[in-house]
Amino acid sequence: MAGLIGLALTSCDDKSDLGVMQKNEAPVVVPVDGVALKSLYASTGNAINLQDYEEIVNIPLVDIAISDQFSATSTVSGTVEVADNPDFKDAVEIALFAEDVAEGNEEVNKAAGDNTRALKGYVEVSAWEDAFVEFYDVDPTPNVNYLRYKLRLVDDNQSVILYNDNGEEWFDAMEFMVTPFDAELDVKASYTFHYTLDGKEQTPIVMFHNPDKHVYVDPTFNASITVTANPAEGEGEVETVNAIEWWVTPTGEDTMYGVMGEDPAEPKGTLGVIGGGEESAIRGQIDQAGTFKVEVNMLELTYSVQVAPPSLYVMSVSQITFEEASQLGTEDYVTYSGMAGVMGVWGLTGQDAWKPTLFVNDPAVNVTNDGFNRSGGFKLETSGNVLNNNSGISFPGTAGLGYFQVDLQANTYKVYQCKEMGLVGDFNQWGTDEATKEDIPDAELKGSRQTKYMVWSGTLKVEKDQGWKVRANHDWAVNFGLAEGSSFHADGEPINLSMGGDNIVATESGEFTVTVYFQRTLQEDGTMSPYYLTVVPVEAAK
């Protein structure tokens, strides 16, 4: 067989170079050294329903003709790249194979010359389906795929690459709207989490809503349950636990999904399998005191039971001990919030332990979109998914203060960067218009890496009876005022703060050093210590 074979393909659209989407025009067949081919793309109208090929198994993509100057055993093989983007980044490769067919495309046969053999190039339906799932998981709604292919002519144990008219290997990059197989997922519109306390069923929790049983984002949901204990009544007696039982039903149905197995008892950290409508499915049981997070996956039919943390730590690479880390508080063991200093790669973890580890990093999302920006510090406001894995979010060279909100039921987080901190009040007419920032700005507070951005300090000149507050970024998204039961005093003792609290009204005039402390800890009673500030006269501070 002669050395290198070139294969020229052109289109009615002269923009047929690699990477340019060809919408509805079939390439014109051009013979080169006894080989010709024609893409079958256009016959699909740039849309393909994989379900149409369920019984056929293979999808034809190209008509091929080979003249008799090649041996009877000659054939064509190739590779198809499938991607969810026109740049074919992270494309999935699937095999293209050719088979002899009884009748070929007359146009292709004529272009290849006399005495031709007709072949058709196929890809397996299952291979394309696997590529689709790679990009879109098991969402069976139509989505865009991009295809291109390269080919080799194999003859007498020799293999020669076929090039297009630009001297490139890849042919016919095109865009398709692809409808995959319906996964027919047994996922209902919503599920209800039931539980009993002292034998009495409590208010059920609707745990998951899905508008179409075949389309969902994530069939995993959570419920937080508190199990109480009765103290020992007398000497030698032991406390008793008010154990609960739990189970799940599709909303409005009687089918019970419960624990599979003989032992329903579930200590912390238990993993297991649930089943529905089976005799072996029984109610789950929690017979230990504490607050627990029950997580159920209704696609994989699995569950886990873990101790719900009374606080979440925001851990950074430079914070070796839990004492150095910021803590987020909670009132319902589902939503956690608070201020946190971030010092490099960061993640979330449960109270004073690495279980449950809830690092926030979605590997499918670029890190610059996932919370923090490599070049300019972390974004003013960002959000993302909370996943149970061990990959923290990295933002090299960046540190600062942020207001964190985490929802362990929705598995989401949100971070608001407190790039600037200041004091605002009557002394500066409560700030200025954010768009112009004219006249008198907020009184500046400064934080530092040495304090892990949890302590901010500045000076305030204020008159008696003037009110003021602490806020971030010259606006009110994150602001702190006087906590209930606390009052202004300039003796250096803590003045407790709360998010969105009352104005801090000065009871005396003067110039003061104000220091704000955002570090807080979990107290013995299960509540978080408050944020606070101290006020001392400037002269006394010196």
Short mmCIF file of all heavy atoms in Angstrom, two decimals, residues 6-56:
data_model
loop_
_atom_site.label_atom_id
_atom_site.label_comp_id
_atom_site.label_asym_id
_atom_site.label_seq_id
_atom_site.Cartn_x
_atom_site.Cartn_y
_atom_site.Cartn_z
N GLY A 6 -4.05 10.77 1.78
CA GLY A 6 -4.76 11.98 2.19
C GLY A 6 -6.22 11.83 1.85
O GLY A 6 -6.58 11.25 0.84
N LEU A 7 -7.10 12.39 2.66
CA LEU A 7 -8.54 12.31 2.40
C LEU A 7 -9.10 13.70 2.50
O LEU A 7 -9.02 14.34 3.54
CB LEU A 7 -9.21 11.39 3.41
CG LEU A 7 -10.71 11.18 3.21
CD1 LEU A 7 -10.97 10.50 1.88
CD2 LEU A 7 -11.29 10.37 4.33
N ALA A 8 -9.66 14.20 1.40
CA ALA A 8 -10.16 15.57 1.39
C ALA A 8 -11.66 15.57 1.54
O ALA A 8 -12.37 14.93 0.79
CB ALA A 8 -9.77 16.26 0.09
N LEU A 9 -12.16 16.32 2.54
CA LEU A 9 -13.60 16.51 2.72
C LEU A 9 -13.87 18.00 2.71
O LEU A 9 -13.22 18.77 3.40
CB LEU A 9 -14.08 15.92 4.04
CG LEU A 9 -14.05 14.39 4.15
CD1 LEU A 9 -14.65 13.99 5.47
CD2 LEU A 9 -14.81 13.76 3.00
N THR A 10 -14.86 18.40 1.96
CA THR A 10 -15.28 19.80 1.98
C THR A 10 -16.76 19.84 2.25
O THR A 10 -17.42 18.82 2.31
CB THR A 10 -14.97 20.51 0.65
OG1 THR A 10 -15.68 19.84 -0.39
CG2 THR A 10 -13.48 20.49 0.36
N SER A 11 -17.31 21.04 2.43
CA SER A 11 -18.72 21.19 2.76
C SER A 11 -19.32 22.30 1.93
O SER A 11 -18.61 23.17 1.42
CB SER A 11 -18.86 21.50 4.25
OG SER A 11 -20.19 21.85 4.53
N CYS A 12 -20.64 22.29 1.82
CA CYS A 12 -21.31 23.42 1.17
C CYS A 12 -21.05 24.70 1.94
O CYS A 12 -21.14 25.79 1.41
CB CYS A 12 -22.82 23.14 1.10
SG CYS A 12 -23.22 21.72 0.04
N ASP A 13 -20.76 24.56 3.25
CA ASP A 13 -20.35 25.69 4.07
C ASP A 13 -18.83 25.70 4.04
O ASP A 13 -18.18 24.74 4.44
CB ASP A 13 -20.85 25.49 5.50
CG ASP A 13 -20.43 26.63 6.42
OD1 ASP A 13 -19.67 27.51 5.99
OD2 ASP A 13 -20.88 26.60 7.58
N ASP A 14 -18.22 26.80 3.55
CA ASP A 14 -16.77 26.81 3.40
C ASP A 14 -16.05 26.88 4.74
O ASP A 14 -14.84 26.83 4.80
CB ASP A 14 -16.31 27.96 2.49
CG ASP A 14 -16.68 29.32 3.04
OD1 ASP A 14 -17.24 29.38 4.15
OD2 ASP A 14 -16.41 30.32 2.36
N LYS A 15 -16.79 27.01 5.83
CA LYS A 15 -16.17 27.01 7.15
C LYS A 15 -16.21 25.59 7.71
O LYS A 15 -16.84 25.31 8.71
CB LYS A 15 -16.89 27.97 8.09
CG LYS A 15 -16.76 29.43 7.65
CD LYS A 15 -17.48 30.34 8.63
CE LYS A 15 -17.34 31.80 8.23
NZ LYS A 15 -18.05 32.70 9.18
N SER A 16 -15.50 24.69 7.06
CA SER A 16 -15.54 23.30 7.48
C SER A 16 -14.28 22.88 8.22
O SER A 16 -14.02 21.71 8.39
CB SER A 16 -15.73 22.40 6.27
OG SER A 16 -14.68 22.59 5.35
N ASP A 17 -13.44 23.85 8.62
CA ASP A 17 -12.23 23.51 9.36
C ASP A 17 -12.59 22.84 10.68
O ASP A 17 -13.68 23.01 11.22
CB ASP A 17 -11.40 24.76 9.64
CG ASP A 17 -10.85 25.36 8.35
OD1 ASP A 17 -10.80 24.64 7.34
OD2 ASP A 17 -10.49 26.54 8.37
N LEU A 18 -11.63 22.14 11.23
CA LEU A 18 -11.83 21.44 12.50
C LEU A 18 -12.29 22.40 13.58
O LEU A 18 -11.74 23.48 13.75
CB LEU A 18 -10.52 20.77 12.92
CG LEU A 18 -10.53 20.06 14.25
CD1 LEU A 18 -11.48 18.89 14.21
CD2 LEU A 18 -9.12 19.61 14.61
N GLY A 19 -13.29 21.98 14.33
CA GLY A 19 -13.73 22.77 15.46
C GLY A 19 -14.87 23.71 15.15
O GLY A 19 -15.46 24.29 16.05
N VAL A 20 -15.20 23.90 13.89
CA VAL A 20 -16.31 24.78 13.53
C VAL A 20 -17.55 23.93 13.33
O VAL A 20 -17.55 22.98 12.56
CB VAL A 20 -16.00 25.58 12.25
CG1 VAL A 20 -17.19 26.43 11.85
CG2 VAL A 20 -14.77 26.44 12.46
N MET A 21 -18.61 24.27 14.05
CA MET A 21 -19.81 23.46 13.98
C MET A 21 -20.47 23.54 12.62
O MET A 21 -20.77 24.63 12.13
CB MET A 21 -20.80 23.90 15.05
CG MET A 21 -20.29 23.67 16.47
SD MET A 21 -19.85 21.97 16.82
CE MET A 21 -18.07 22.04 16.73
N GLN A 22 -20.70 22.40 11.97
CA GLN A 22 -21.41 22.34 10.72
C GLN A 22 -22.85 21.94 11.02
O GLN A 22 -23.07 20.88 11.57
CB GLN A 22 -20.76 21.32 9.78
CG GLN A 22 -19.27 21.63 9.50
CD GLN A 22 -18.61 20.53 8.73
OE1 GLN A 22 -19.17 20.06 7.74
NE2 GLN A 22 -17.45 20.10 9.15
N LYS A 23 -23.79 22.80 10.69
CA LYS A 23 -25.15 22.60 11.18
C LYS A 23 -25.95 21.59 10.38
O LYS A 23 -26.37 20.58 10.89
CB LYS A 23 -25.88 23.94 11.23
CG LYS A 23 -25.31 24.90 12.27
CD LYS A 23 -25.51 24.35 13.66
CE LYS A 23 -25.03 25.33 14.71
NZ LYS A 23 -25.18 24.81 16.06
N ASN A 24 -26.17 21.84 9.09
CA ASN A 24 -27.09 20.98 8.35
C ASN A 24 -26.62 20.64 6.94
O ASN A 24 -27.42 20.28 6.10
CB ASN A 24 -28.47 21.63 8.25
CG ASN A 24 -29.16 21.70 9.60
OD1 ASN A 24 -29.33 20.68 10.24
ND2 ASN A 24 -29.52 22.89 10.04
N GLU A 25 -25.34 20.77 6.69
CA GLU A 25 -24.83 20.47 5.36
C GLU A 25 -23.95 19.22 5.41
O GLU A 25 -23.04 19.13 6.22
CB GLU A 25 -24.01 21.66 4.82
CG GLU A 25 -24.81 22.95 4.66
CD GLU A 25 -25.87 22.84 3.60
OE1 GLU A 25 -25.76 21.94 2.74
OE2 GLU A 25 -26.81 23.64 3.61
N ALA A 26 -24.20 18.28 4.51
CA ALA A 26 -23.37 17.08 4.44
C ALA A 26 -22.10 17.39 3.65
O ALA A 26 -22.14 18.13 2.67
CB ALA A 26 -24.14 15.95 3.74
N PRO A 27 -20.96 16.84 4.06
CA PRO A 27 -19.73 17.05 3.29
C PRO A 27 -19.86 16.47 1.88
O PRO A 27 -20.48 15.43 1.68
CB PRO A 27 -18.67 16.30 4.10
CG PRO A 27 -19.26 16.16 5.47
CD PRO A 27 -20.73 16.06 5.26
N VAL A 28 -19.27 17.16 0.90
CA VAL A 28 -19.21 16.64 -0.46
C VAL A 28 -18.15 15.56 -0.51
O VAL A 28 -17.06 15.73 0.04
CB VAL A 28 -18.88 17.77 -1.46
CG1 VAL A 28 -18.67 17.19 -2.85
CG2 VAL A 28 -19.99 18.80 -1.46
N VAL A 29 -18.46 14.45 -1.13
CA VAL A 29 -17.52 13.35 -1.18
C VAL A 29 -16.43 13.62 -2.21
O VAL A 29 -16.72 13.98 -3.35
CB VAL A 29 -18.24 12.03 -1.52
CG1 VAL A 29 -17.23 10.88 -1.57
CG2 VAL A 29 -19.32 11.76 -0.50
N VAL A 30 -15.18 13.48 -1.81
CA VAL A 30 -14.05 13.66 -2.72
C VAL A 30 -13.20 12.40 -2.67
O VAL A 30 -12.77 11.99 -1.59
CB VAL A 30 -13.20 14.89 -2.32
CG1 VAL A 30 -12.00 15.02 -3.24
CG2 VAL A 30 -14.05 16.15 -2.38
N PRO A 31 -12.94 11.76 -3.81
CA PRO A 31 -12.13 10.54 -3.80
C PRO A 31 -10.65 10.86 -3.67
O PRO A 31 -10.16 11.82 -4.26
CB PRO A 31 -12.45 9.92 -5.16
CG PRO A 31 -12.74 11.10 -6.05
CD PRO A 31 -13.41 12.12 -5.16
N VAL A 32 -9.94 10.08 -2.91
CA VAL A 32 -8.50 10.21 -2.79
C VAL A 32 -7.91 8.81 -2.78
O VAL A 32 -8.14 8.04 -1.85
CB VAL A 32 -8.09 10.97 -1.51
CG1 VAL A 32 -6.56 11.03 -1.42
CG2 VAL A 32 -8.67 12.36 -1.50
N ASP A 33 -7.16 8.50 -3.83
CA ASP A 33 -6.47 7.21 -3.90
C ASP A 33 -7.39 6.04 -3.61
O ASP A 33 -7.05 5.12 -2.87
CB ASP A 33 -5.29 7.19 -2.93
CG ASP A 33 -4.18 8.17 -3.34
OD1 ASP A 33 -4.13 8.52 -4.53
OD2 ASP A 33 -3.42 8.58 -2.45
N GLY A 34 -8.58 6.08 -4.16
CA GLY A 34 -9.46 4.93 -4.05
C GLY A 34 -10.23 4.81 -2.76
O GLY A 34 -10.84 3.77 -2.49
N VAL A 35 -10.22 5.86 -1.93
CA VAL A 35 -10.99 5.84 -0.70
C VAL A 35 -11.91 7.06 -0.69
O VAL A 35 -11.51 8.16 -1.07
CB VAL A 35 -10.09 5.90 0.55
CG1 VAL A 35 -10.92 5.92 1.82
CG2 VAL A 35 -9.11 4.74 0.56
N ALA A 36 -13.15 6.88 -0.27
CA ALA A 36 -14.09 7.99 -0.14
C ALA A 36 -15.01 7.72 1.03
O ALA A 36 -15.27 6.57 1.38
CB ALA A 36 -14.90 8.17 -1.43
N LEU A 37 -15.45 8.80 1.62
CA LEU A 37 -16.41 8.64 2.71
C LEU A 37 -17.30 9.86 2.80
O LEU A 37 -16.98 10.93 2.30
CB LEU A 37 -15.70 8.37 4.05
CG LEU A 37 -14.68 9.39 4.56
CD1 LEU A 37 -15.36 10.45 5.38
CD2 LEU A 37 -13.64 8.67 5.40
N LYS A 38 -18.42 9.67 3.44
CA LYS A 38 -19.38 10.75 3.60
C LYS A 38 -20.05 10.61 4.96
O LYS A 38 -20.58 9.55 5.30
CB LYS A 38 -20.44 10.69 2.50
CG LYS A 38 -21.50 11.80 2.61
CD LYS A 38 -22.50 11.73 1.47
CE LYS A 38 -23.54 12.85 1.58
NZ LYS A 38 -24.52 12.80 0.47
N SER A 39 -20.01 11.69 5.72
CA SER A 39 -20.63 11.69 7.03
C SER A 39 -22.13 11.56 6.91
O SER A 39 -22.75 12.10 5.98
CB SER A 39 -20.28 12.98 7.78
OG SER A 39 -21.08 13.11 8.91
N LEU A 40 -22.74 10.82 7.81
CA LEU A 40 -24.20 10.69 7.85
C LEU A 40 -24.82 11.66 8.84
O LEU A 40 -25.99 11.58 9.14
CB LEU A 40 -24.58 9.25 8.24
CG LEU A 40 -24.06 8.16 7.30
CD1 LEU A 40 -24.46 6.79 7.83
CD2 LEU A 40 -24.60 8.36 5.90
N TYR A 41 -24.01 12.58 9.36
CA TYR A 41 -24.49 13.52 10.36
C TYR A 41 -25.74 14.26 9.91
O TYR A 41 -26.73 14.37 10.63
CB TYR A 41 -23.42 14.57 10.64
CG TYR A 41 -22.24 14.12 11.48
CD1 TYR A 41 -21.16 14.95 11.63
CD2 TYR A 41 -22.22 12.88 12.10
CE1 TYR A 41 -20.05 14.56 12.40
CE2 TYR A 41 -21.15 12.48 12.86
CZ TYR A 41 -20.06 13.32 13.01
OH TYR A 41 -18.99 12.95 13.75
N ALA A 42 -25.69 14.82 8.67
CA ALA A 42 -26.76 15.72 8.25
C ALA A 42 -28.11 15.03 8.19
O ALA A 42 -29.15 15.65 8.35
CB ALA A 42 -26.42 16.33 6.89
N SER A 43 -28.10 13.72 7.95
CA SER A 43 -29.37 13.00 7.84
C SER A 43 -30.13 12.97 9.15
O SER A 43 -31.33 12.71 9.18
CB SER A 43 -29.12 11.57 7.35
OG SER A 43 -28.36 10.86 8.31
N THR A 44 -29.44 13.25 10.25
CA THR A 44 -30.11 13.25 11.55
C THR A 44 -30.70 14.62 11.88
O THR A 44 -31.41 14.76 12.88
CB THR A 44 -29.12 12.89 12.66
OG1 THR A 44 -28.18 13.96 12.82
CG2 THR A 44 -28.39 11.61 12.35
N GLY A 45 -30.40 15.63 11.08
CA GLY A 45 -30.87 16.97 11.40
C GLY A 45 -30.23 17.53 12.65
O GLY A 45 -30.80 18.36 13.35
N ASN A 46 -29.01 17.06 12.93
CA ASN A 46 -28.27 17.52 14.11
C ASN A 46 -29.00 17.22 15.42
O ASN A 46 -28.85 17.93 16.40
CB ASN A 46 -27.92 19.00 14.03
CG ASN A 46 -27.03 19.30 12.84
OD1 ASN A 46 -27.51 19.77 11.82
ND2 ASN A 46 -25.74 19.02 12.97
N ALA A 47 -29.82 16.19 15.39
CA ALA A 47 -30.47 15.72 16.62
C ALA A 47 -30.55 14.21 16.52
O ALA A 47 -30.77 13.65 15.44
CB ALA A 47 -31.86 16.31 16.76
N ILE A 48 -30.30 13.56 17.64
CA ILE A 48 -30.33 12.11 17.62
C ILE A 48 -30.93 11.61 18.93
O ILE A 48 -30.65 12.14 20.00
CB ILE A 48 -28.92 11.51 17.40
CG1 ILE A 48 -29.02 10.02 17.12
CG2 ILE A 48 -27.99 11.82 18.56
CD1 ILE A 48 -27.75 9.44 16.53
N ASN A 49 -31.81 10.65 18.82
CA ASN A 49 -32.45 10.04 19.97
C ASN A 49 -31.86 8.65 20.15
O ASN A 49 -32.11 7.75 19.35
CB ASN A 49 -33.97 9.97 19.75
CG ASN A 49 -34.70 9.48 20.99
OD1 ASN A 49 -34.11 8.90 21.90
ND2 ASN A 49 -36.01 9.70 21.04
N LEU A 50 -31.07 8.48 21.17
CA LEU A 50 -30.42 7.19 21.38
C LEU A 50 -31.43 6.07 21.60
O LEU A 50 -31.14 4.90 21.32
CB LEU A 50 -29.46 7.27 22.58
CG LEU A 50 -28.29 8.25 22.44
CD1 LEU A 50 -27.38 8.16 23.66
CD2 LEU A 50 -27.49 7.99 21.17
N GLN A 51 -32.61 6.43 22.07
CA GLN A 51 -33.63 5.41 22.30
C GLN A 51 -34.09 4.75 21.00
O GLN A 51 -34.57 3.61 21.01
CB GLN A 51 -34.83 6.04 23.02
CG GLN A 51 -34.47 6.62 24.39
CD GLN A 51 -35.65 7.32 25.03
OE1 GLN A 51 -36.76 6.81 25.00
NE2 GLN A 51 -35.41 8.48 25.62
N ASP A 52 -33.93 5.45 19.88
CA ASP A 52 -34.31 4.88 18.59
C ASP A 52 -33.42 3.70 18.20
O ASP A 52 -33.76 2.92 17.30
CB ASP A 52 -34.25 5.94 17.49
CG ASP A 52 -35.30 7.04 17.67
OD1 ASP A 52 -36.27 6.80 18.41
OD2 ASP A 52 -35.13 8.12 17.09
N TYR A 53 -32.27 3.59 18.84
CA TYR A 53 -31.31 2.55 18.49
C TYR A 53 -31.21 1.47 19.56
O TYR A 53 -30.27 0.69 19.58
CB TYR A 53 -29.93 3.19 18.28
CG TYR A 53 -29.91 4.17 17.13
CD1 TYR A 53 -30.20 5.51 17.33
CD2 TYR A 53 -29.63 3.75 15.83
CE1 TYR A 53 -30.21 6.41 16.29
CE2 TYR A 53 -29.63 4.63 14.77
CZ TYR A 53 -29.92 5.97 15.00
OH TYR A 53 -29.93 6.86 13.96
N GLU A 54 -32.20 1.44 20.44
CA GLU A 54 -32.14 0.49 21.55
C GLU A 54 -32.07 -0.95 21.06
O GLU A 54 -31.35 -1.78 21.60
CB GLU A 54 -33.36 0.67 22.46
CG GLU A 54 -33.30 -0.19 23.70
CD GLU A 54 -34.41 0.19 24.69
OE1 GLU A 54 -35.28 1.00 24.33
OE2 GLU A 54 -34.38 -0.33 25.80
N GLU A 55 -32.81 -1.28 19.98
CA GLU A 55 -32.81 -2.64 19.44
C GLU A 55 -31.74 -2.83 18.39
O GLU A 55 -31.36 -3.96 18.07
CB GLU A 55 -34.19 -2.95 18.84
CG GLU A 55 -35.35 -2.81 19.82
CD GLU A 55 -35.23 -3.76 21.00
OE1 GLU A 55 -34.66 -4.86 20.80
OE2 GLU A 55 -35.67 -3.41 22.10
N ILE A 56 -31.21 -1.73 17.83
CA ILE A 56 -30.25 -1.83 16.73
C ILE A 56 -28.82 -1.98 17.25
O ILE A 56 -27.96 -2.53 16.58
CB ILE A 56 -30.36 -0.58 15.82
CG1 ILE A 56 -31.79 -0.46 15.29
CG2 ILE A 56 -29.38 -0.65 14.66
CD1 ILE A 56 -32.03 0.81 14.51
#
